[in-house]
Amino acid sequence: MRICIVDDSESFRTYLESLLQAAGYDGIACFDSAESCLDALLATLPTPQTDLVLMDLIMPGMSGLEGVRRLKAEPALADIPVIMVTVSNDDENLSAAFAAGALDYIQKPPRRPELLARLDSALRLKRAIDQNKARARDLQDEKEFIAAILEYSHDGIAVVSRDGRFRFVSPGMERVFALPVDAYTTMRAWGEMLFPEPAVRRDLEDILTSPPVPGHVWRRIYGFADKNGQRRACQVYFSTMPSGDLILNIQDVTLFEKQKEDLLRKHNRHRKDLEAAAEIQQSLLPRRFSMSDSFKFAWEFTPCETIGGDIFNVFPLGPDHVGLYMLDVSGHGVASSLVALSVYNFMHYQRSTLVDRTAGYVEVVPPQVVLTRLDEEFPYDKFSKFFTIFYMTIDLRSGAAHYGNAGHPPPLFIAADGRIEPLDQRGTIIGLEGFQPFSSNELSFCPGDKLVMVSDGLADRLDPSGAFFGEARVCNAIRENARRPVADLLTALRQAAETFCAGTPPRDDVSILGVEFLHPKA
Amino acid sequence: MKRLTLDATDHALILGLSGEIIMDVVPDLRTEIERLVAETQKTRLVADLGLVTFMDSSGVGLLIGTRRLCQEQGKIFSLRNPSPPIKKLLDMLRLTEFFAADQANASTGQPA
């Protein structure tokens, strides 16, 4: 029903219909009265498909004029163009029809070219109207969609023109700052209302004066005071529209900032605890003094940031012996350092772990027995930790040494002539509850001989590219400095590692302990 | 990076570890592995170390703990495919035999 023909004369309806069909029009419907046409059109609502009505002016019943009036009074039909068809120049009725909204008229009998030309222009007009309507509808939909986004978006969005006035403020701004939309006048007034800190207001002024170039985004976090005077925090993203207007995307980040502060506070407390634990760990390390003129020792210790499980000691064992050990508890952190401390206490030189006084004199306990005692005392299950340890006793009268090694990197023996020999003999780690027996090995120090012990943290140090310092570099550094006094040798070794690592902090404690036998004790 | 992938044969659950097995990742891995050991119906667990690039003492502790846990539950735990640095580490700690012991017992039919 694209085109409706309304006429009380059947012959004229038929004539007009065939004329239009011959001209290529289809979808033609004929009605013998204005009433029946209107009924049919109303039945198609809300989506009328009709593009044109040809309406006889004079009909029995409802006149064509009334038909036009009714049709134009129905908003959904008002866009349909109506061409009046008249027998004569009924000027009065015709002008009334135009006033009621008719688009055009033709006279009976119609002349074919004129009729088709008027029909065509009426249909073109209808198409243009339809297109405009559709465009307007799309625009309206889009507008409503954007309004809904702004309404329901949790963030506040505001647009500030270059003169500092708010051009747009989204409902989200009300929620973030608890200010009605009409309270936003200029950015300066807004700043004074909400941001007590002068620095924030200055920053806002600066951003308005020189906003980010289009495509760039600046982020700020500002403290603000809500209407109850409570301190809150908002995060603002500033960006610039091509027009030069400034867009502000604002979120309330009070909770987030508070969590961050809490976390930072906890972190600081945790760090202080770690620092205190590290201090305790370091206070246990042997003091740099020589207990006997026949023997010297030195050490270098580089703790890892999170505190590790390294500990070492050098101590007298009765009148004629020294004992020394280096141990490394698995993992790092406070738990590992507590286990290290516990082992340190167990290994205290006054305890019976290391010396036996039952025979009335001090007898030095052999290293394999010490390792066995440690293994009994510190099973893996106790702390879910294991440790490696190298333990040695030296008889200062003769230079005769006994040692046992539980999984620790082999110490390097450096003879007075510079020859280097790793002490490879070693057993498994402490904590496996007697999985394998430990053994002791012997060694004899001549004057000038040295021994260097390291924890695996040294070879495992990384350079900025992630390469390991490695055992080969450890050995090289020792070889190059083998003839220097033990303290200098250790310093050179530490510096070699530091140079290689170029500022990358160690991931585990790095311990280096060196001893040098000077001469037999008199 | 995912540090634990799972695979299974008829009798064994295979835990494929990869990357750096260090203190930062061990607690999560431990929780996950403990759960797997408790839930699995398999009688053997195998840690595949082929893709492990570095392991610190926490990582070694994880292996020791897993072996103990398996022992308690009557399961057999073993390692396979250690890459050269990991092989060297286990050798340095003299743990190669420790981790082979279960397997030896299993193959001779003796209880672990």
Side-chain angles (χ1 to χ4, degrees):
Chain A
M1 203 168 79
R2 318 293 305 182
I3 300 173
C4 298
I5 295 169
V6 188
D7 203 300
D8 56 325
S9 151
E10 189 186 354
S11 59
F12 188 73
R13 290 198 302 267
T14 313
Y15 163 71
L16 216 52
E17 184 179 16
S18 59
L19 200 150
L20 296 186
Q21 277 169 344
Y25 292 102
D26 53 11
I28 299 163
C30 296
F31 300 93
D32 61 0
S33 69
E35 290 93 326
S36 60
C37 178
L38 281 170
D39 286 348
L41 286 173
L42 288 170
T44 62
L45 295 189
T47 51
Q49 301 290 319
T50 304
D51 293 325
L52 179 64
V53 175
L54 291 167
M55 177 89 78
D56 189 14
L57 188 57
I58 298 159
M59 287 180 287
M62 188 187 284
S63 69
L65 173 60
E66 187 55 24
V68 174
R69 283 191 180 132
R70 295 270 179 95
L71 189 136
K72 294 294 171 184
E74 170 55 50
L77 302 175
D79 289 339
I80 302 173
V82 181
I83 296 177
M84 304 309 292
V85 185
T86 66
V87 276
S88 60
N89 279 341
D90 183 354
D91 287 348
E92 197 178 321
N93 272 321
L94 207 52
S95 48
F98 279 124
L103 176 73
D104 204 351
Y105 82 102
I106 46 175
Q107 280 190 330
K108 285 184 187 174
R111 286 184 300 168
R112 195 175 164 275
E114 186 192 351
L115 171 69
L116 293 180
R118 291 185 183 227
L119 213 74
D120 184 56
S121 68
L123 287 170
R124 264 189 284 139
L125 181 70
K126 175 63 164 55
R127 254 197 313 278
I129 289 171
D130 284 351
Q131 281 168 359
N132 276 336
K133 283 263 164 128
R135 223 175 357 247
R137 215 164 26 242
D138 287 351
L139 280 174
Q140 184 62 25
D141 286 353
E142 202 167 313
K143 208 172 140 189
E144 281 169 10
F145 182 55
I146 290 170
I149 292 175
L150 293 171
E151 173 72 37
Y152 295 105
S153 154
H154 187 71
D155 294 1
I157 299 167
V159 177
V160 179
S161 61
R162 266 185 277 198
D163 63 4
R165 294 184 174 279
F166 281 99
R167 282 190 65 180
F168 171 79
V169 175
S170 79
M173 293 284 280
E174 279 185 73
R175 287 191 288 271
V176 175
F177 297 108
L179 278 179
V181 167
D182 59 13
Y184 296 86
T185 52
T186 65
M187 200 155 95
R188 173 177 289 176
W190 177 64
E192 283 169 3
M193 215 162 11
L194 288 169
F195 302 108
E197 287 163 39
V200 172
R201 297 185 203 166
R202 266 202 307 280
D203 198 40
L204 286 172
E205 293 277 324
D206 289 349
I207 289 171
L208 191 61
T209 315
S210 48
V213 292
H216 286 237
V217 179
W218 292 346
R219 188 179 74 112
R220 298 284 195 276
I221 289 176
Y222 297 140
F224 70 96
D226 71 7
K227 61 175 183 223
N228 302 319
Q230 291 291 105
R231 288 282 295 170
R232 302 184 69 82
C234 63
Q235 173 172 269
V236 188
Y237 288 99
F238 294 94
S239 52
T240 307
M241 294 208 281
S243 64
D245 290 343
L246 192 62
I247 306 183
L248 285 66
N249 288 60
I250 303 181
Q251 291 146 8
D252 188 323
V253 292
T254 308
L255 195 65
F256 180 69
E257 284 296 294
K258 197 174 145 3
Q259 284 170 341
K260 213 161 79 178
E261 263 173 44
D262 286 352
L263 211 62
L264 205 65
R265 216 177 5 252
K266 275 185 198 148
H267 176 78
N268 279 338
R269 200 166 54 217
H270 189 60
R271 211 193 55 217
K272 277 192 189 124
D273 282 348
L274 277 177
E275 279 167 10
E279 265 176 47
I280 293 169
Q281 180 191 21
Q282 289 181 46
S283 74
L284 300 177
L285 298 179
R287 275 168 285 169
R288 290 173 197 264
F289 68 93
S290 188
M291 67 183 76
S292 157
D293 61 0
S294 62
F295 162 85
K296 261 199 321 203
F297 72 90
W299 53 266
E300 295 282 349
F301 179 65
T302 313
C304 70
E305 212 175 21
T306 52
I307 189 171
D310 278 15
I311 214 158
F312 50 84
N313 207 354
V314 183
F315 44 84
L317 281 175
D320 301 319
H321 292 76
V322 291
L324 51 100
Y325 65 81
M326 174 175 285
L327 71 92
D328 181 358
V329 178
S330 63
H332 36 96
V334 173
S336 295
S337 77
L338 281 174
V339 176
L341 177 64
S342 170
V343 183
Y344 173 89
N345 282 333
F346 191 77
M347 291 287 283
H348 199 273
Y349 59 90
Q350 286 172 335
R351 292 188 56 160
S352 57
T353 315
L354 307 180
V355 288
D356 189 350
R357 294 189 175 86
T358 49
Y361 59 94
V362 173
E363 193 175 342
V364 174
V365 176
Q368 90 267 20
V369 176
V370 172
L371 296 186
T372 305
R373 287 176 181 173
L374 284 170
D375 196 46
E376 285 163 3
E377 185 66 23
F378 295 97
Y380 177 82
D381 277 2
K382 197 167 175 181
F383 303 111
S384 287
K385 302 271 176 207
F386 68 87
F387 62 90
T388 66
I389 183 168
F390 174 81
Y391 176 57
M392 176 179 258
T393 62
I394 307 173
D395 186 337
L396 294 177
R397 294 166 301 187
S398 62
H402 294 83
Y403 66 91
N405 189 346
H408 203 75
L412 295 171
F413 178 80
I414 306 160
D417 61 6
R419 179 175 48 86
I420 297 174
E421 189 188 320
L423 306 186
D424 275 327
Q425 295 78 10
R426 63 189 188 281
T428 191
I429 56 175
I430 301 291
L432 302 184
E433 295 172 85
F435 172 70
Q436 273 175 348
F438 295 100
S439 60
S440 285
N441 302 279
E442 289 177 27
L443 175 75
S444 191
F445 280 98
C446 295
D449 288 352
K450 293 188 277 273
L451 186 73
V452 175
M453 287 143 273
V454 298
S455 63
D456 59 1
L458 179 63
D460 287 346
R461 282 200 72 169
L462 297 174
D463 78 355
S465 75
F468 289 106
F469 184 54
E471 281 159 38
R473 287 192 185 81
V474 174
C475 286
N476 279 344
I478 290 178
R479 192 172 298 117
E480 282 164 19
N481 298 281
R483 287 166 178 277
R484 300 173 67 182
V486 66
D488 297 352
L489 167 59
L490 264 49
T491 305
L493 179 55
R494 174 178 55 80
Q495 284 170 346
E498 275 167 10
T499 306
F500 175 82
C501 298
T504 306
R507 300 201 287 183
D508 196 2
D509 285 351
V510 177
S511 305
I512 313 173
L513 175 62
V515 295
E516 181 171 358
F517 187 68
L518 300 175
H519 55 78
K521 187 180 174 221
Chain B
M1 174 180 179
K2 189 142 174 58
R3 287 196 166 72
L4 180 63
T5 54
L6 296 180
D7 198 0
T9 66
D10 286 350
H11 303 291
L13 180 66
I14 296 165
L15 312 170
L17 295 170
S18 57
E20 294 198 330
I21 306 300
I22 57 176
M23 183 131 179
D24 301 350
V25 301
V26 162
D28 286 350
L29 278 176
R30 188 190 301 275
T31 309
E32 181 68 7
I33 290 175
E34 279 173 2
R35 187 181 64 77
L36 289 168
V37 171
E39 286 176 2
T40 185
Q41 301 297 315
K42 313 272 185 194
T43 53
R44 300 182 57 122
L45 274 93
V46 179
D48 190 314
L49 306 180
L51 297 173
V52 176
T53 53
F54 179 74
M55 189 180 275
D56 71 359
S57 51
S58 309
V60 177
L62 174 68
L63 297 181
I64 295 175
T66 305
R67 183 182 182 276
R68 293 209 55 93
L69 188 66
C70 286
Q71 253 178 345
E72 279 167 24
Q73 307 210 357
K75 290 171 178 151
I76 294 164
F77 178 69
S78 58
L79 306 181
R80 78 173 191 199
N81 286 335
S83 55
I86 304 306
K87 213 170 151 65
K88 196 174 152 196
L89 173 72
L90 294 174
D91 181 56
M92 163 86 84
L93 297 170
R94 292 289 189 259
L95 282 172
T96 311
E97 283 179 43
F98 178 71
F99 283 112
D102 242 4
Q103 225 169 4
N105 287 340
S107 56
T108 56
Q110 289 166 5

